[in-house]
Amino acid sequence: MTKNSISEAAQIIKNGGLVAFPTETVYGLGANALNPFAVAKIFELKERPSFDPLIVHIASFDDLSTLCAGINENIMRLAKHFWPGPLTLVLPKSVVVPDIVTSGLDTVGIRMPDNSIALELIKQAGCPIAAPSANKFGQLSPVNAHHVKKQLPNVDYILDGGNTSVGIESTIVSIEGNTCRLLRPGFITLDDIEKALPNTFIFNSTKPEKLVSPGLLKSHYSPKKPLFIINEPLESLPEFSGLILHGKNKAGNLSKTVIYTSQSHNKIEISANLFASLHAMEEDEIVQRIYIEPVEEKGLGIAIMDRLKKAAYQYNNSTN
Ligand code: TXA
Ligand code: MG
């Protein structure tokens, strides 16, 4: 099932099937975005609630004008600046986008991934590809083909492109006229966006009263074992703990299972290795509880802590 023929995978998409494929962020579970029956299979396989809309992946700027009703200068500026890359733009949708893709919203999330396999798949399939992350709803995002197979053994095809480079999901922003809102933090930071759009009102909407984007649920991306963000001395952690640390100097001679996401607290390395380290702890037969070091919530650290807090939420708020 894990293979690397882009043409076979493209044929499956054309026939209304599902293909898991690599992007630079995480693996996606893709279907022809213009075929509502194919898209319905994504929700079924992922066990995803129908209120949670999908991102549509494109390989050319022409697709942007087909899918989006009304492209303004700000949209073009962001797209030209960051695509292909880990930025999703939530834009007014055109009539060609089926309602099932957007969960009935009048906006659609669009991005052009920075991964040659993904781009070639979209080109050969001849259609935009709707794809959420290729995991069961609420569980850890996959950053290699093995992670996909673990959660979605019945997917029609997994295109194996090795480990993804960015490791966390795209930044999501919505644009309406002269207003840009951050809906999900990611590798591209609010600072990066402010620099690219100097004359625009930019809001951080990642803590809304109202659910602007269902990806902002408090609990998400969770491993199947209890996960805690470390805020106590490492020596006092219980037996059979797995520790995820971000710099080499910390663990000393602890007799615990330790995984380092980075040797030196480098945030790019931490984000690239974050989900892989959580998957590895989830699969480790000795580890019963996972403890992970926090990072400073600045720059890319904001997106890393967003994923971590959501991954740990259900284990830290079980009485709520
Ligand atoms: O990096 C990524 O974005 C990966 C790769 C595969 O592209 N995809 C991904 O998809 O993370 P998913 O479905 O796991 O997360 C997409 C998020 C969801 O939280 C969804 O609610 C939000 O995007 N979203 C999609 N369309 C939206 C819209 N029209 N308005 C608001 N939020 C939207
Ligand atoms: Mg996801």
Side-chain angles (χ1 to χ4, degrees):
M1 183 178 62
T2 308
K3 298 188 194 131
N4 39 35
S5 163
I6 297 178
S7 57
E8 267 183 69
Q11 198 55 50
I12 291 173
I13 296 278
K14 282 184 180 173
N15 294 342
L18 300 186
V19 171
F21 64 98
T23 77
E24 79 281 36
T25 58
V26 302
Y27 275 63
L29 176 65
N32 178 352
L34 306 181
N35 176 344
F37 300 103
V39 172
K41 292 182 195 166
I42 295 178
F43 285 91
E44 199 183 355
L45 190 67
K46 237 188 105 99
E47 295 166 21
R48 180 180 177 108
S50 59
F51 63 73
D52 197 355
L54 306 179
I55 293 172
V56 177
H57 297 70
I58 60 173
S60 79
F61 284 92
D62 289 346
D63 287 340
L64 177 63
S65 12
T66 313
L67 299 170
C68 169
I71 297 175
N72 66 24
E73 200 190 320
N74 287 331
I75 297 171
M76 275 328 281
R77 199 183 280 232
L78 281 186
K80 287 259 151 82
H81 199 279
F82 293 107
W83 285 355
L87 180 70
T88 296
L89 302 179
V90 170
L91 306 171
K93 88 173 188 75
S94 78
V95 287
V96 305
V97 182
D99 283 339
I100 188 168
V101 171
T102 64
S103 301
L105 298 175
D106 54 10
T107 54
V108 57
I110 303 177
R111 87 179 191 97
M112 190 187 290
D114 187 13
N115 177 289
S116 55
I117 297 176
L119 292 173
E120 191 55 33
L121 176 69
I122 299 164
K123 279 184 201 148
Q124 290 194 22
C127 59
I129 294 184
S133 49
N135 51 277
K136 290 268 188 202
F137 183 72
Q139 294 186 20
L140 292 175
S141 298
V143 294
N144 62 37
H146 159 72
H147 299 152
V148 177
K149 214 186 289 182
K150 183 165 74 163
Q151 295 188 29
L152 304 175
N154 296 325
V155 62
D156 296 326
Y157 202 93
I158 302 175
L159 259 178
D160 192 345
N163 291 320
T164 66
S165 55
V166 170
I168 56 173
E169 301 80 354
S170 60
T171 306
I172 304 180
V173 298
S174 70
I175 306 176
E176 254 177 273
N178 219 22
T179 302
C180 175
R181 290 177 203 280
L182 178 71
L183 305 184
R184 178 173 73 182
F187 189 79
I188 291 170
T189 64
L190 213 48
D191 275 358
D192 298 331
I193 290 167
E194 266 159 3
K195 280 189 198 125
L197 287 185
N199 301 317
T200 306
F201 299 108
I202 299 185
F203 297 98
N204 184 347
S205 297
T206 56
K207 288 174 189 151
E209 259 69 73
K210 204 170 137 216
L211 209 64
V212 178
S213 167
L216 301 174
L217 293 170
K218 284 181 181 162
S219 177
H220 213 79
Y221 317 111
S222 296
K224 288 184 178 159
K225 295 175 183 172
L227 171 71
F228 304 95
I229 298 172
I230 301 171
N231 53 15
E232 58 218 283
L234 298 182
E235 298 73 24
S236 63
L237 300 183
E239 247 195 306
F240 307 117
S241 296
L243 294 188
I244 300 174
L245 302 175
H246 312 304
K248 260 287 183 202
N249 49 357
K250 285 273 173 60
N253 51 10
L254 283 175
S255 59
K256 300 232 159 48
T257 306
V258 182
I259 294 176
Y260 295 94
T261 57
S262 166
Q263 302 291 318
S264 56
H265 283 89
N266 176 313
K267 286 190 182 136
I268 295 178
E269 285 173 8
I270 297 170
S271 91
N273 294 319
L274 184 72
F275 280 120
S277 67
L278 290 167
H279 275 285
M281 287 297 185
E282 186 180 75
E283 289 165 28
D284 189 308
E285 284 173 9
I286 298 186
V287 169
Q288 291 176 1
R289 297 153 75 86
I290 310 165
Y291 288 85
I292 187 162
E293 195 183 4
V295 300
E296 195 189 1
E297 284 186 89
K298 264 196 189 161
L300 181 51
I302 294 173
I304 294 171
M305 285 310 291
D306 168 77
R307 304 307 188 273
L308 268 188
K309 286 178 191 166
K310 285 174 181 159
Y313 187 83
Q314 62 170 302
Y315 300 111
N316 293 266
N317 294 276
S318 50
T319 53
N320 289 356

